Amino acid sequence: MYRCLKCGNTYKFIGTVKEEGNAYIYQNSDDKDTRDSLTWAFMASGNNWKSSHNILRCFYCNSTEIVKIDLP
């Protein structure tokens, strides 16, 4: 869990996420009139799914003063 040192936010942050592994991938039209508009969904398959994240800044105040906190 993370906390913004400037405003105290512990809920929403801006960052990056990376996921990798075998997946089932589904493609569906999102019912718009443009042929290029699609939605995607995927579901992990197997136990080899890996993910990582990087918190960059607070969503609410844009501070980069973010600390990782332990859950009680």
Side-chain angles (χ1 to χ4, degrees):
M1 195 165 173
Y2 297 89
R3 178 185 312 275
C4 175
L5 293 176
K6 185 174 180 183
C7 73
N9 166 42
T10 59
Y11 180 66
K12 195 172 186 180
F13 298 91
I14 306 287
T16 59
V17 173
K18 188 185 297 185
E19 295 182 303
E20 183 177 342
N22 294 334
Y24 301 114
I25 302 169
Y26 304 89
Q27 173 181 290
N28 292 307
S29 170
D30 66 0
D31 296 326
K32 290 187 179 179
D33 291 334
T34 59
R35 292 188 331 197
D36 295 332
S37 186
L38 298 170
T39 59
W40 297 86
F42 61 89
M43 180 174 60
S45 68
N47 293 329
N48 67 340
W49 198 258
K50 300 174 190 172
S51 67
S52 62
H53 65 277
N54 184 32
I55 303 296
L56 299 174
R57 59 188 163 94
C58 177
F59 178 83
Y60 299 105
C61 73
N62 265 344
S63 173
T64 58
E65 298 179 53
I66 309 297
V67 294
K68 188 171 184 176
I69 57 175
D70 294 323
L71 294 174

Coordinates of all heavy atoms in Angstrom, one line a residue:
M1 N 0.8 -1.2 0.0 CA 0.0 0.0 0.0 C 0.9 1.2 0.0 O 2.0 1.2 0.5 CB -0.9 0.0 1.2 CG -2.0 0.9 1.2 SD -3.2 0.5 2.4 CE -4.3 1.9 2.2
Y2 N 0.4 2.3 -0.6 CA 1.2 3.6 -0.7 C 0.4 4.7 -0.1 O -0.8 4.7 0.1 CB 1.4 3.8 -2.2 CG 2.3 2.8 -2.8 CD1 1.7 1.6 -3.4 CD2 3.6 2.9 -2.8 CE1 2.4 0.6 -3.9 CE2 4.4 1.8 -3.4 CZ 3.8 0.7 -3.9 OH 4.6 -0.2 -4.5
R3 N 1.2 5.8 0.3 CA 0.6 7.0 0.9 C 1.4 8.2 0.3 O 2.6 8.2 0.2 CB 0.7 7.0 2.4 CG 0.2 8.3 3.0 CD 0.4 8.4 4.5 NE 0.0 7.2 5.2 CZ -1.2 6.9 5.6 NH1 -2.2 7.7 5.4 NH2 -1.4 5.8 6.3
C4 N 0.6 9.2 -0.1 CA 1.2 10.5 -0.5 C 1.6 11.3 0.7 O 0.7 11.5 1.6 CB 0.2 11.3 -1.4 SG 0.8 12.9 -1.9
L5 N 2.8 11.7 0.8 CA 3.2 12.5 2.0 C 2.7 13.9 2.0 O 2.6 14.6 3.0 CB 4.8 12.5 2.0 CG 5.4 11.2 2.3 CD1 7.0 11.3 2.3 CD2 5.0 10.6 3.7
K6 N 2.3 14.4 0.8 CA 1.8 15.8 0.7 C 0.3 15.9 1.1 O 0.0 16.7 1.9 CB 2.0 16.3 -0.7 CG 1.6 17.8 -0.8 CD 2.0 18.3 -2.2 CE 1.6 19.8 -2.4 NZ 1.9 20.3 -3.7
C7 N -0.6 15.0 0.6 CA -2.0 15.2 0.9 C -2.6 14.0 1.7 O -3.7 14.0 2.1 CB -2.8 15.4 -0.4 SG -2.9 13.9 -1.5
G8 N -1.8 12.9 1.9 CA -2.3 11.8 2.6 C -3.1 10.7 1.8 O -3.5 9.7 2.4
N9 N -3.2 10.9 0.5 CA -4.0 10.0 -0.3 C -3.4 8.6 -0.2 O -2.2 8.4 -0.2 CB -3.9 10.5 -1.8 CG -4.3 9.4 -2.8 OD1 -5.2 8.7 -2.6 ND2 -3.5 9.3 -3.8
T10 N -4.3 7.6 0.0 CA -3.8 6.2 0.0 C -4.7 5.4 -1.0 O -4.6 4.2 -1.0 CB -4.0 5.5 1.4 OG1 -5.4 5.6 1.7 CG2 -3.1 6.2 2.4
Y11 N -5.4 6.1 -1.9 CA -6.3 5.4 -2.8 C -6.0 5.3 -4.3 O -6.1 4.3 -4.9 CB -7.7 6.0 -2.6 CG -8.8 5.4 -3.5 CD1 -9.2 4.1 -3.2 CD2 -9.4 6.1 -4.5 CE1 -10.2 3.5 -4.0 CE2 -10.4 5.6 -5.3 CZ -10.8 4.3 -5.0 OH -11.7 3.7 -5.8
K12 N -5.6 6.5 -4.9 CA -5.4 6.5 -6.3 C -4.1 7.2 -6.7 O -3.8 8.3 -6.2 CB -6.6 7.3 -6.9 CG -6.8 7.2 -8.4 CD -8.2 7.8 -8.7 CE -8.5 7.6 -10.2 NZ -9.8 8.3 -10.5
F13 N -3.4 6.6 -7.6 CA -2.1 7.1 -8.0 C -1.9 6.9 -9.5 O -2.6 6.1 -10.2 CB -0.9 6.3 -7.3 CG -1.0 6.4 -5.8 CD1 -1.7 5.5 -5.0 CD2 -0.3 7.5 -5.2 CE1 -1.8 5.6 -3.7 CE2 -0.4 7.6 -3.8 CZ -1.1 6.7 -3.1
I14 N -0.9 7.7 -10.1 CA -0.6 7.6 -11.5 C 0.7 6.7 -11.5 O 1.6 6.9 -10.7 CB -0.3 9.0 -12.1 CG1 -1.4 9.9 -11.9 CG2 0.2 8.8 -13.5 CD1 -2.6 9.6 -12.7
G15 N 0.8 5.8 -12.4 CA 2.0 5.0 -12.5 C 1.9 4.1 -13.8 O 1.2 4.3 -14.7
T16 N 2.8 3.1 -13.8 CA 2.8 2.1 -14.9 C 2.6 0.7 -14.4 O 3.0 0.4 -13.2 CB 4.2 2.2 -15.6 OG1 5.2 1.9 -14.7 CG2 4.4 3.6 -16.2
V17 N 2.1 -0.1 -15.2 CA 1.9 -1.5 -14.9 C 2.4 -2.4 -16.1 O 2.2 -2.0 -17.2 CB 0.4 -1.8 -14.6 CG1 0.1 -3.3 -14.5 CG2 -0.2 -1.1 -13.4
K18 N 3.0 -3.4 -15.7 CA 3.5 -4.4 -16.8 C 3.0 -5.8 -16.4 O 3.2 -6.2 -15.2 CB 5.0 -4.3 -16.8 CG 5.6 -5.1 -18.0 CD 7.1 -5.2 -17.9 CE 7.8 -3.8 -18.1 NZ 9.2 -3.9 -18.2
E19 N 2.4 -6.4 -17.4 CA 1.9 -7.8 -17.1 C 2.4 -8.7 -18.3 O 2.5 -8.2 -19.4 CB 0.4 -7.8 -17.1 CG -0.2 -7.1 -15.9 CD -1.7 -7.2 -15.9 OE1 -2.3 -6.8 -16.9 OE2 -2.2 -7.6 -14.9
E20 N 2.7 -9.9 -17.9 CA 3.2 -10.9 -18.9 C 2.9 -12.3 -18.6 O 2.9 -12.7 -17.4 CB 4.7 -10.7 -19.0 CG 5.4 -11.6 -20.0 CD 6.9 -11.4 -20.1 OE1 7.4 -10.3 -19.6 OE2 7.6 -12.2 -20.6
G21 N 2.5 -13.0 -19.6 CA 2.2 -14.4 -19.4 C 1.2 -14.9 -20.5 O 0.8 -14.2 -21.3
N22 N 0.9 -16.2 -20.4 CA -0.1 -16.8 -21.4 C -1.4 -16.3 -21.0 O -1.8 -16.2 -19.9 CB 0.0 -18.3 -21.3 CG 1.3 -18.9 -21.8 OD1 2.0 -18.3 -22.5 ND2 1.6 -20.0 -21.3
A23 N -2.2 -16.0 -22.1 CA -3.6 -15.5 -21.9 C -4.5 -15.9 -23.0 O -4.1 -16.2 -24.1 CB -3.5 -13.9 -21.8
Y24 N -5.8 -15.9 -22.7 CA -6.8 -16.0 -23.7 C -7.3 -14.6 -24.0 O -7.5 -13.8 -23.2 CB -8.0 -16.8 -23.2 CG -7.7 -18.2 -22.7 CD1 -7.8 -18.5 -21.4 CD2 -7.2 -19.1 -23.6 CE1 -7.4 -19.8 -20.9 CE2 -6.9 -20.4 -23.2 CZ -7.0 -20.7 -21.8 OH -6.7 -22.0 -21.4
I25 N -7.3 -14.2 -25.3 CA -7.6 -12.9 -25.7 C -8.8 -12.8 -26.5 O -9.0 -13.6 -27.5 CB -6.4 -12.3 -26.6 CG1 -5.1 -12.4 -25.7 CG2 -6.7 -10.9 -27.0 CD1 -3.8 -12.1 -26.5
Y26 N -9.7 -11.9 -26.2 CA -11.0 -11.8 -26.8 C -11.1 -10.4 -27.4 O -10.7 -9.4 -26.8 CB -12.2 -12.0 -25.8 CG -12.1 -13.3 -25.1 CD1 -11.4 -13.4 -23.9 CD2 -12.7 -14.4 -25.5 CE1 -11.3 -14.6 -23.2 CE2 -12.6 -15.6 -24.9 CZ -11.9 -15.7 -23.7 OH -11.9 -16.9 -23.0
Q27 N -11.7 -10.3 -28.6 CA -11.8 -9.0 -29.3 C -13.3 -8.8 -29.7 O -13.9 -9.7 -30.3 CB -11.0 -9.0 -30.6 CG -11.2 -7.8 -31.5 CD -10.3 -7.9 -32.7 OE1 -9.1 -7.8 -32.6 NE2 -10.9 -8.2 -33.8
N28 N -13.9 -7.7 -29.3 CA -15.3 -7.4 -29.6 C -15.4 -6.0 -30.1 O -14.7 -5.1 -29.6 CB -16.2 -7.6 -28.4 CG -16.3 -9.1 -28.0 OD1 -16.6 -9.9 -28.8 ND2 -16.0 -9.4 -26.8
S29 N -16.4 -5.8 -31.0 CA -16.7 -4.4 -31.4 C -17.4 -3.7 -30.2 O -18.1 -4.3 -29.4 CB -17.7 -4.4 -32.5 OG -18.2 -3.2 -32.8
D30 N -17.1 -2.4 -30.0 CA -17.7 -1.7 -28.9 C -19.0 -1.0 -29.3 O -19.4 0.0 -28.7 CB -16.7 -0.8 -28.2 CG -16.3 0.4 -29.1 OD1 -16.8 0.4 -30.3 OD2 -15.5 1.2 -28.7
D31 N -19.6 -1.4 -30.4 CA -20.9 -0.9 -30.9 C -20.9 0.5 -31.3 O -21.9 1.2 -31.4 CB -22.0 -1.1 -29.8 CG -22.2 -2.6 -29.6 OD1 -22.1 -3.4 -30.5 OD2 -22.5 -2.9 -28.4
K32 N -19.7 1.1 -31.7 CA -19.6 2.4 -32.3 C -19.7 2.3 -33.8 O -19.5 1.2 -34.3 CB -18.3 3.1 -31.9 CG -18.3 3.5 -30.4 CD -17.1 4.3 -30.1 CE -17.1 4.7 -28.6 NZ -16.0 5.5 -28.2
D33 N -19.9 3.3 -34.5 CA -20.0 3.3 -35.9 C -18.7 3.1 -36.7 O -18.7 2.8 -37.8 CB -20.8 4.5 -36.4 CG -22.2 4.6 -36.0 OD1 -22.8 3.5 -35.8 OD2 -22.8 5.7 -35.9
T34 N -17.6 3.3 -36.0 CA -16.3 3.2 -36.7 C -15.8 1.8 -36.6 O -15.9 1.1 -35.6 CB -15.3 4.2 -36.0 OG1 -15.1 3.8 -34.6 CG2 -15.7 5.6 -36.1
R35 N -15.3 1.3 -37.8 CA -14.9 0.0 -37.9 C -13.6 -0.3 -37.1 O -13.2 -1.4 -36.8 CB -14.7 -0.4 -39.3 CG -16.0 -0.5 -40.1 CD -15.8 -1.0 -41.5 NE -14.5 -0.8 -42.1 CZ -14.2 -0.9 -43.3 NH1 -15.2 -1.2 -44.2 NH2 -13.0 -0.7 -43.8
D36 N -12.8 0.8 -36.8 CA -11.5 0.6 -36.2 C -11.7 0.6 -34.6 O -10.7 0.5 -33.9 CB -10.6 1.8 -36.6 CG -10.2 1.7 -38.0 OD1 -10.2 0.6 -38.6 OD2 -9.9 2.7 -38.6
S37 N -12.9 0.8 -34.1 CA -13.1 0.9 -32.7 C -13.4 -0.5 -32.1 O -14.4 -1.1 -32.4 CB -14.2 1.9 -32.4 OG -14.3 2.1 -31.0
L38 N -12.4 -1.0 -31.3 CA -12.6 -2.3 -30.7 C -12.3 -2.3 -29.2 O -11.6 -1.4 -28.7 CB -11.6 -3.3 -31.3 CG -11.8 -3.6 -32.8 CD1 -10.6 -4.4 -33.3 CD2 -13.1 -4.3 -33.1
T39 N -12.9 -3.2 -28.5 CA -12.5 -3.4 -27.1 C -11.8 -4.7 -26.9 O -12.0 -5.7 -27.7 CB -13.7 -3.4 -26.2 OG1 -14.6 -4.5 -26.6 CG2 -14.5 -2.1 -26.2
W40 N -10.9 -4.9 -26.0 CA -10.2 -6.1 -25.7 C -10.3 -6.6 -24.3 O -10.5 -5.8 -23.4 CB -8.7 -5.8 -26.0 CG -8.4 -5.4 -27.4 CD1 -8.4 -4.2 -27.9 CD2 -8.0 -6.3 -28.4 NE1 -8.1 -4.2 -29.2 CE2 -7.8 -5.5 -29.6 CE3 -7.7 -7.6 -28.5 CZ2 -7.4 -6.0 -30.8 CZ3 -7.3 -8.1 -29.8 CH2 -7.2 -7.3 -30.9
A41 N -10.4 -7.9 -24.1 CA -10.4 -8.5 -22.8 C -9.5 -9.6 -22.8 O -9.3 -10.3 -23.8 CB -11.8 -8.9 -22.4
F42 N -8.8 -9.9 -21.7 CA -8.0 -11.1 -21.6 C -8.1 -11.7 -20.2 O -8.5 -11.1 -19.3 CB -6.5 -10.8 -21.9 CG -5.9 -9.8 -21.0 CD1 -5.2 -10.2 -19.9 CD2 -5.9 -8.4 -21.3 CE1 -4.7 -9.3 -19.0 CE2 -5.3 -7.5 -20.4 CZ -4.7 -7.9 -19.3
M43 N -7.8 -13.0 -20.2 CA -7.9 -13.8 -19.0 C -6.6 -14.6 -18.9 O -6.2 -15.3 -19.8 CB -9.1 -14.7 -19.0 CG -9.2 -15.5 -17.7 SD -10.8 -16.4 -17.7 CE -10.6 -17.5 -19.1
A44 N -5.9 -14.5 -17.7 CA -4.7 -15.3 -17.6 C -4.9 -16.7 -17.6 O -6.0 -17.2 -17.1 CB -4.1 -14.9 -16.2
S45 N -4.1 -17.5 -18.3 CA -4.2 -18.9 -18.3 C -2.9 -19.5 -17.7 O -1.8 -19.1 -18.1 CB -4.4 -19.4 -19.7 OG -3.3 -19.2 -20.5
G46 N -3.0 -20.4 -16.8 CA -1.9 -21.0 -16.2 C -1.3 -20.2 -15.0 O -1.8 -19.1 -14.7
N47 N -0.3 -20.7 -14.4 CA 0.3 -20.1 -13.2 C 1.6 -19.3 -13.5 O 2.3 -18.9 -12.6 CB 0.7 -21.2 -12.2 CG -0.5 -21.9 -11.7 OD1 -1.6 -21.3 -11.5 ND2 -0.3 -23.2 -11.3
N48 N 1.8 -19.0 -14.8 CA 3.0 -18.3 -15.2 C 2.8 -16.8 -15.3 O 3.6 -16.1 -15.8 CB 3.6 -18.8 -16.5 CG 2.7 -18.5 -17.6 OD1 1.5 -18.3 -17.5 ND2 3.3 -18.6 -18.8
W49 N 1.7 -16.2 -14.8 CA 1.4 -14.8 -15.0 C 2.3 -14.0 -14.1 O 2.4 -14.2 -12.9 CB -0.1 -14.6 -14.7 CG -0.6 -13.3 -15.2 CD1 -0.8 -12.1 -14.5 CD2 -0.9 -13.0 -16.5 NE1 -1.2 -11.1 -15.3 CE2 -1.3 -11.6 -16.6 CE3 -0.9 -13.7 -17.7 CZ2 -1.7 -11.0 -17.8 CZ3 -1.3 -13.1 -18.9 CH2 -1.7 -11.7 -18.9
K50 N 2.9 -12.9 -14.6 CA 3.8 -12.1 -13.9 C 3.3 -10.6 -14.0 O 2.9 -10.2 -15.1 CB 5.2 -12.2 -14.4 CG 5.8 -13.5 -14.3 CD 7.2 -13.5 -14.9 CE 7.7 -15.0 -15.1 NZ 8.9 -15.0 -15.9
S51 N 3.4 -9.9 -13.0 CA 3.0 -8.5 -13.1 C 3.9 -7.6 -12.2 O 4.4 -8.1 -11.2 CB 1.5 -8.2 -12.7 OG 1.3 -8.5 -11.4
S52 N 4.0 -6.4 -12.5 CA 4.8 -5.4 -11.7 C 4.2 -4.0 -11.9 O 3.5 -3.8 -12.9 CB 6.3 -5.4 -12.1 OG 6.4 -5.0 -13.4
H53 N 4.4 -3.2 -10.9 CA 3.9 -1.8 -11.0 C 4.9 -0.8 -10.5 O 5.8 -1.2 -9.7 CB 2.5 -1.7 -10.3 CG 2.6 -1.8 -8.8 ND1 2.7 -3.1 -8.2 CD2 2.8 -0.9 -7.8 CE1 2.8 -2.9 -6.9 NE2 2.8 -1.7 -6.7
N54 N 4.7 0.4 -10.9 CA 5.6 1.5 -10.5 C 4.8 2.7 -10.2 O 4.1 3.2 -11.1 CB 6.7 1.8 -11.6 CG 7.7 2.9 -11.1 OD1 8.0 3.0 -10.0 ND2 8.1 3.6 -12.1
I55 N 4.7 3.2 -9.0 CA 3.9 4.4 -8.6 C 4.8 5.6 -9.0 O 5.9 5.8 -8.5 CB 3.6 4.4 -7.1 CG1 2.8 3.1 -6.8 CG2 2.8 5.7 -6.8 CD1 1.5 3.0 -7.4
L56 N 4.2 6.6 -9.8 CA 5.0 7.7 -10.2 C 4.6 9.0 -9.4 O 5.4 9.8 -9.0 CB 4.8 8.0 -11.7 CG 5.3 6.9 -12.6 CD1 4.9 7.2 -14.0 CD2 6.8 6.7 -12.4
R57 N 3.3 9.2 -9.2 CA 2.8 10.4 -8.5 C 1.4 10.3 -8.0 O 0.7 9.4 -8.4 CB 2.9 11.6 -9.4 CG 2.1 11.6 -10.7 CD 2.5 12.7 -11.6 NE 2.0 12.4 -13.0 CZ 0.9 12.8 -13.5 NH1 0.0 13.5 -12.7 NH2 0.6 12.5 -14.7
C58 N 1.0 11.2 -7.1 CA -0.3 11.2 -6.6 C -1.3 11.6 -7.6 O -1.1 12.6 -8.3 CB -0.4 12.1 -5.4 SG -2.0 12.3 -4.6
F59 N -2.5 11.0 -7.7 CA -3.5 11.4 -8.7 C -4.1 12.7 -8.3 O -4.5 13.5 -9.2 CB -4.6 10.3 -8.7 CG -5.7 10.6 -9.6 CD1 -5.7 10.3 -10.9 CD2 -6.9 11.2 -9.1 CE1 -6.7 10.6 -11.8 CE2 -8.0 11.5 -9.9 CZ -7.9 11.2 -11.3
Y60 N -4.2 13.0 -7.0 CA -5.0 14.2 -6.6 C -4.1 15.5 -6.5 O -4.5 16.5 -7.0 CB -5.6 13.9 -5.2 CG -6.6 12.8 -5.3 CD1 -6.3 11.6 -4.8 CD2 -7.8 12.9 -5.9 CE1 -7.2 10.5 -4.8 CE2 -8.7 11.9 -6.0 CZ -8.4 10.7 -5.5 OH -9.3 9.6 -5.6
C61 N -2.9 15.4 -6.0 CA -2.1 16.6 -5.9 C -0.8 16.6 -6.7 O 0.0 17.6 -6.7 CB -1.7 16.8 -4.4 SG -0.4 15.7 -3.8
N62 N -0.6 15.5 -7.5 CA 0.6 15.4 -8.4 C 1.9 15.3 -7.7 O 3.0 15.4 -8.4 CB 0.6 16.6 -9.4 CG 0.0 16.2 -10.7 OD1 -0.2 15.1 -11.0 ND2 -0.3 17.2 -11.5
S63 N 1.9 15.1 -6.4 CA 3.2 15.0 -5.7 C 3.9 13.7 -6.1 O 3.3 12.7 -6.3 CB 2.9 15.1 -4.2 OG 4.1 14.8 -3.5
T64 N 5.2 13.8 -6.1 CA 6.0 12.6 -6.3 C 6.5 12.0 -5.0 O 7.3 11.0 -4.9 CB 7.2 12.8 -7.3 OG1 8.0 13.9 -6.7 CG2 6.7 13.2 -8.6
E65 N 6.1 12.6 -3.9 CA 6.6 12.2 -2.5 C 5.6 11.1 -2.1 O 4.7 11.3 -1.3 CB 6.6 13.4 -1.6 CG 7.5 14.5 -2.0 CD 7.5 15.6 -1.0 OE1 7.6 15.4 0.2 OE2 7.3 16.8 -1.4
I66 N 5.9 9.9 -2.5 CA 5.0 8.7 -2.2 C 5.9 7.7 -1.5 O 7.0 7.5 -1.8 CB 4.5 8.1 -3.5 CG1 3.9 9.1 -4.5 CG2 3.6 6.9 -3.2 CD1 2.7 9.8 -4.0
V67 N 5.3 7.2 -0.4 CA 6.0 6.2 0.4 C 5.2 4.9 0.4 O 3.9 4.9 0.4 CB 6.3 6.6 1.8 CG1 7.3 7.8 1.8 CG2 5.0 7.0 2.6
K68 N 5.9 3.8 0.5 CA 5.2 2.5 0.6 C 4.9 2.3 2.1 O 5.8 2.5 3.0 CB 6.1 1.4 0.1 CG 5.4 0.0 0.0 CD 6.2 -1.0 -0.7 CE 5.4 -2.3 -0.8 NZ 6.1 -3.3 -1.6
I69 N 3.7 1.8 2.5 CA 3.4 1.6 3.9 C 2.9 0.2 4.0 O 2.4 -0.5 3.1 CB 2.3 2.6 4.4 CG1 1.0 2.5 3.5 CG2 2.8 4.0 4.4 CD1 -0.1 3.3 4.0
D70 N 3.2 -0.4 5.2 CA 2.8 -1.8 5.5 C 1.4 -1.8 6.0 O 1.0 -0.9 6.8 CB 3.7 -2.4 6.5 CG 5.1 -2.6 6.0 OD1 5.2 -2.9 4.8 OD2 6.1 -2.4 6.8
L71 N 0.6 -2.8 5.7 CA -0.7 -3.0 6.2 C -0.6 -3.5 7.6 O 0.3 -4.3 7.9 CB -1.5 -3.9 5.3 CG -1.9 -3.5 3.9 CD1 -2.6 -4.6 3.2 CD2 -2.8 -2.2 4.0
P72 N -1.6 -3.1 8.5 CA -1.5 -3.6 9.9 C -1.8 -5.1 10.0 O -2.3 -5.7 9.2 CB -2.6 -2.8 10.6 CG -3.4 -2.1 9.6 CD -2.6 -2.2 8.3

